[in-house]
């Protein structure tokens, strides 16, 4: 009745923004990601007949009511499927900042899906685990797999949707340099931000229209290991989704002044002939993709950038791991 799992966060190369179905948590656009070996969550789940409620600890503290409720929603799904009535003791640790735009929800719900279903005695395939993780956090569906992963768009009312692997971690020796700018939790959660963009941004329909094209370009670029083609489409996809956020009403600025300074650093590196490309998620941090051979120079340039407080160098990471 006990299991542990370890999952890595991922970075969307083709961005996900907008839901086709909020209740079923189905994305409105396809997305592609790279799993990141350095951004790790470890989760332990134990179903215990002595408990009269789920208990959830996150990063060594008691989870907030909202955090615990998201965990219990997934546990309820697993309990129904396993025909299990016991509550669970969950303890999870993110080895990087939580809820700060570094995708803790992706690794968090991937690790929880894997640990909880194993603890309940379910022997889920990776595809089934991915669909389970996706119901709690769409980006978590991608963190079940290692390397390069795609999550197709959903349609309102559809049943199951899971991510699928495109290429293993060994396919391409890329590095992603994560540059943390201002610390702290994001002000507008992704779900709320996506809904606000859908309802109010005049550019949302264009985003839905164009996102699949960037996705196709990025998939092709991954297969051909063409970093310039990947980087260009990734930056376009990033800026288009932020354009939707910024033009929502009220507007959502995930960027800080430091974000723009770091973007300038990346542009400067390109002017000096380094193929380095930036992306940002629903937070102020800048994540730069480059070849492994350029990683030290890119990191050094970002470490020297005003407002960058910390950097991580990550590479294509492994699939979720479970220990019973
Ligand atoms: P992020 O950019 O870190 O993904 P979000 O606001 O999208 O930020 O998601 C953060 C939320 O995900 C947390 O508030 C919590 O509810 C959930 N979460 C994060 N890490 C874990 C974890 N290890 N286990 C369970 N839930 C988690």
């Amino acid at each position: 009745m006990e299991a542990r799992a370890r999952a890595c966060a991922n970075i969307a190369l083709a961005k996900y923004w907008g839901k086709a179905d909020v209740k079923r948590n189905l994305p409105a656009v396809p997305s592609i990601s790279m799993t990141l070996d350095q951004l790790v969550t470890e989760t332990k789940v134990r179903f215990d007949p002595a408990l009269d409620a789920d208990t959830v600890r996150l990063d060594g503290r008691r989870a907030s009511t909202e955090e615990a409720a998201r965990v219990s929603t997934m546990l309820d799904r697993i309990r129904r499927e396993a025909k299990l009535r016991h509550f669970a003791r969950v303890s999870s640790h993110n080895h990087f900042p939580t809820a700060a735009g570094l995708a803790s929800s992706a690794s968090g719900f991937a690790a929880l899906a894997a640990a909880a279903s194993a603890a309940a005695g379910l022997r889920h395939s990776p595809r089934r685990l991915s669909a389970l993780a996706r119901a709690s956090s769409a980006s978590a569906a991608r963190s079940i797999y290692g390397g390069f992963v795609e999550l197709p768009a959903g349609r309102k009312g559809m049943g199951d949707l899971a991510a699928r692997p495109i290429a293993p971690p060994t396919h391409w020796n890329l590095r992603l340099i994560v540059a943390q700018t201002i610390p702290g939790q994001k002000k507008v959660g992704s779900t709320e931000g996506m809904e606000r963009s859908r309802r109010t941004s005049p550019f949302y329909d264009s985003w839905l229209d164009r996102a699949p094209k960037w996705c196709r370009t990025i998939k092709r670029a991954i297969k051909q290991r063409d970093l310039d083609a990947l980087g260009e489409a990734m930056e376009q996809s990033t800026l288009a989704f932020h354009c939707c956020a910024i033009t929502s009403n009220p507007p959502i600025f995930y960027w800080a002044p430091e974000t723009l300074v770091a973007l300038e650093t990346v542009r400067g590196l390109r002017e000096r002939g380094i193929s380095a490309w930036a992306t940002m998620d629903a937070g102020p941090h800048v994540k730069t993709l480059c070849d492994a051979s350029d990683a030290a120079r890119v990191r050094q340039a970002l470490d020297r950038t005003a407002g960058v407080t910390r950097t991580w160098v990550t590479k294509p990471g492994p699939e979720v791991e479970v220990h019973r």
Side-chain angles (χ1 to χ4, degrees):
M1 299 283 261
E2 179 177 311
R4 294 164 186 265
R6 179 185 187 279
C8 300
N10 67 78
I11 178 80
L13 308 172
K15 302 314 243 190
Y16 155 49
W17 194 246
K19 294 183 197 283
D21 189 323
V22 175
K23 200 160 150 262
R24 290 171 191 259
N25 202 36
L26 294 163
V29 294
S31 56
I32 293 182
S33 61
M34 183 170 107
T35 301
L36 302 174
D37 75 329
Q38 292 295 310
L39 303 188
V40 172
T41 296
E42 287 179 297
T43 299
K44 184 167 114 181
V45 177
R46 180 184 167 79
F47 288 99
D48 183 347
L51 292 174
D52 50 20
D54 293 324
T55 68
V56 184
R57 291 190 70 78
L58 186 52
D59 299 331
R61 59 170 169 88
R62 217 175 122 177
S64 69
T65 310
E66 202 187 19
E67 289 167 337
R70 280 184 83 176
V71 169
S72 288
T73 301
M74 178 180 283
L75 293 175
D76 285 342
R77 282 195 187 96
I78 290 167
R79 278 189 280 255
R80 269 197 301 277
E81 204 176 326
K83 299 192 174 39
L84 188 71
R85 294 176 56 173
H86 306 325
F87 290 104
R89 203 180 289 285
V90 176
S91 162
S92 184
H93 194 77
N94 297 324
H95 295 270
F96 60 99
T98 299
L102 296 172
S104 67
S105 51
S107 48
F109 286 106
L112 180 66
S117 54
L122 298 170
R123 300 206 167 257
H124 279 328
S125 65
R127 194 191 175 284
R128 185 74 200 97
L129 277 184
S130 176
L132 182 63
R134 193 266 310 143
S136 291
S137 158
S139 55
R142 300 184 309 242
S143 274
I144 296 295
Y145 297 102
F148 300 85
V149 184
E150 72 181 327
L151 177 63
R155 283 182 321 279
K156 200 167 176 62
M158 80 189 278
D160 236 11
L161 182 75
R164 51 191 180 223
I166 297 177
T170 48
H171 171 71
W172 198 358
N173 203 11
L174 288 181
R175 294 291 180 273
L176 185 90
I177 322 298
V178 179
Q180 178 179 274
T181 56
I182 51 168
Q185 303 210 338
K186 52 175 117 164
K187 292 189 194 79
V188 181
S190 305
T191 303
E192 187 194 333
M194 287 178 195
E195 269 309 280
R196 201 186 293 175
S197 290
R198 184 183 67 76
R199 281 188 280 103
T200 62
S201 170
F203 301 109
Y204 186 73
D205 287 343
S206 312
W207 160 248
L208 293 189
D209 192 43
R210 290 297 305 264
K213 182 170 170 273
W214 288 313
C215 215
R216 284 195 295 276
T217 305
I218 286 169
K219 190 170 174 179
R220 199 165 47 238
I222 290 170
K223 294 218 154 132
Q224 297 171 349
R225 299 190 190 87
D226 182 342
L227 182 54
D228 289 352
L230 167 53
E232 196 178 299
M234 177 180 79
E235 288 200 347
Q236 291 234 298
S237 167
T238 303
L239 296 174
F241 118 64
H242 279 283
C243 168
C244 286
I246 289 167
T247 53
S248 298
N249 186 14
I252 312 162
F253 289 95
Y254 286 116
W255 299 8
E258 292 83 349
T259 312
L260 284 172
V261 179
L263 277 179
E264 272 309 304
T265 296
V266 178
R267 240 196 306 272
L269 285 164
R270 276 214 298 278
E271 275 163 18
R272 281 184 273 137
I274 297 176
S275 184
W277 303 87
T279 183
M280 290 82 63
D281 294 293
H285 317 301
V286 173
K287 296 133 184 191
T288 305
L289 197 63
C290 64
D291 191 79
S293 58
D294 290 323
R297 282 174 75 188
V298 172
R299 182 184 207 173
Q300 193 182 54
L302 285 163
D303 276 334
R304 286 180 182 158
T305 299
V308 170
T309 51
R310 189 174 168 188
T311 54
W312 291 260
V313 179
T314 87
K315 59 178 196 261
E319 63 192 7
V320 71
E321 250 177 52
V322 189
H323 303 282
R324 283 192 174 79

